[in-house]
Amino acid sequence: MKNDMNVQARKQNMKLYSIYRSISMDILFFYAIDFLFLTQVKNISASDVVLQSSFYALFMIMLQIPANILVDKIGTRKCTILANIFNTAYLLIIVFAKDLTSLIIANFFSAICFSVKDISDTTLLNMSIPDGNIKGEIFSKIEGRGNKNYYYLNAITAVLAGFLYNINPYFPVVGSIIISIIATFLSFKFYELKDVDKNSKIGKFSTKEYILDLKHSFKFIIKSNRLRSLIIYSGIMWGVFCLVSTYRTSLLKDVGISATWIAIVAAVVGIASGIGSKIQLKMHKKFRNKTLSVLSITTAIMIILTGVVGLSKMMPNTIMIFIMIFYIIINTNKGAFGVLMTRYLSNFANPQILPKIYSINAISRNVFRMLIGFLGSYLLAIINTAHSTLLTGIIFMIVTIALISYMKTRTGLKANEYKKEEIEFDI
């Protein structure tokens, strides 16, 4: 009977996950107009809007160990519910934000949400899929479907956000709050597959002992050439994706594109992200161990071309079309990257180490997002967006070439080609 209930719980989680992920992977409505809302309605400077991202990243780094402890103490389901509640709180603070200090407070709440969600959501799905030779492929399909649907919904809500913003700039934010509340209700329907027992060994750990356990896991991850390479790559790519996403809106605003068309561009590139999530399995099968190289090099080239076009003397509408084309490629890569990195990091990992891998990956992403965000904010304070974008692309290309060289002998191997210590936690 218990086994039957477990099977039903797994099926329920896998069936619900794609629907839940499609509305909760990130915030719908708001990101299409966030830069405009904060600079035009709240009168916060463009450099401060970019700078807030670095504070968010800093909070994410600080919260990783507490998030890990929380997931193991109360379970993935409760953490997923809690994360969505904090996401709603973040949006409510944004509504009343007045300055950079308000944004910093809001980003603290958002960091609580995603430091927990980044671990609990994907771990919940991974635990719900039965072990087997095709577990990785099943994970890619379910996670990919959820990501794809999110990007498509994001495209639809982005267009709506543009029109709603012109009616009342607060309407898109209210839409985001409603979606977040729906995601919270959906998260209550998941089943907890890992029993959480306060009298268990985990429950008896002191905080100090638990941190030592995390330290041991983190030490293994950092010493693993394969994981270290993937985590560094993941951090740099994510930091760049976050920065150039903000630059896109700023650049379009600089050349005189209206809020409605900025939202439409956001919708189109959002669809491209969904396509990337959908075709990531095909990309993996086509490029194999060169997939990550292809993603990073093409992204760097597109960023450089965006900067060049932004500096040109072409008509604003022509510049917008070129930027949209370049960002279609960037966001297609972003969509594929999101699913593939989660899959690659979970290879050879068991439930014991997996949350720690996701956690240290989140730390890496946010360290690089913070550093790249500080650089991006500084550039935007001294030069225009087009020059900032061009310089970012050139630096990223140089870093990409060095990173690919470093990863060449450390990733993309078969299980029997890795040293035993590389997959110590594999069972």
Side-chain angles (χ1 to χ4, degrees), residues 270-300:
I271 292 173
S273 296
I275 293 171
S277 297
K278 183 178 181 179
I279 66 172
Q280 44 80 26
L281 196 56
K282 292 180 180 178
M283 292 178 69
H284 167 76
K285 290 179 178 179
K286 181 177 181 179
F287 298 113
R288 292 295 176 181
N289 60 355
K290 292 183 174 61
T291 303
L292 298 182
S293 299
V294 171
L295 292 177
S296 56
I297 290 174
T298 54
T299 298

Side-chain angles (χ1 to χ4, degrees), residues 130-300:
D131 292 330
N133 295 331
I134 61 171
K135 181 173 182 176
E137 188 168 332
I138 294 172
F139 181 94
S140 282
K141 287 181 178 179
I142 296 175
E143 178 73 9
R145 190 185 308 126
N147 286 16
K148 175 197 69 176
N149 291 339
Y150 164 79
Y151 287 124
Y152 290 163
L153 281 173
N154 186 52
I156 295 169
T157 57
V159 174
L160 289 174
F163 287 106
L164 291 173
Y165 184 86
N166 288 328
I167 299 171
N168 187 315
Y170 285 89
F171 283 175
V173 188
V174 173
S176 298
I177 293 171
I178 293 170
I179 294 294
S180 183
I181 292 171
I182 294 172
T184 304
F185 280 113
L186 277 180
S187 62
F188 275 95
K189 295 186 178 294
F190 283 117
Y191 286 94
E192 183 64 66
L193 296 174
K194 180 181 177 182
D195 292 334
V196 180
D197 184 358
K198 292 182 179 179
N199 296 317
S200 69
K201 186 178 178 182
I202 291 176
K204 292 179 181 178
F205 277 168
S206 67
T207 301
K208 183 178 179 180
E209 289 171 326
Y210 195 82
I211 290 175
L212 288 174
D213 179 60
L214 284 176
K215 184 179 178 181
H216 171 67
S217 300
F218 283 7
K219 186 177 180 181
F220 157 71
I221 294 166
I222 293 170
K223 289 179 71 174
S224 167
N225 289 323
R226 183 185 70 87
L227 287 173
R228 185 171 66 246
S229 299
L230 289 173
I231 286 169
I232 292 172
Y233 174 93
S234 177
I236 293 173
M237 285 289 284
W238 184 246
V240 170
F241 279 135
C242 290
L243 178 62
V244 298
S245 178
T246 303
Y247 275 0
R248 183 190 72 234
T249 303
S250 182
L251 184 55
L252 291 172
K253 178 173 174 282
D254 286 353
V255 299
I257 303 302
S258 69
T260 300
W261 278 104
I262 288 174
I264 290 172
V265 171
V268 172
V269 301
I271 292 173
S273 296
I275 293 171
S277 297
K278 183 178 181 179
I279 66 172
Q280 44 80 26
L281 196 56
K282 292 180 180 178
M283 292 178 69
H284 167 76
K285 290 179 178 179
K286 181 177 181 179
F287 298 113
R288 292 295 176 181
N289 60 355
K290 292 183 174 61
T291 303
L292 298 182
S293 299
V294 171
L295 292 177
S296 56
I297 290 174
T298 54
T299 298

Side-chain angles (χ1 to χ4, degrees), residues 52-65:
Q52 69 163 331
S53 178
S54 292
F55 281 100
Y56 169 83
L58 176 62
F59 293 141
M60 287 288 286
I61 295 165
M62 294 166 55
L63 290 167
Q64 283 311 301
I65 288 179

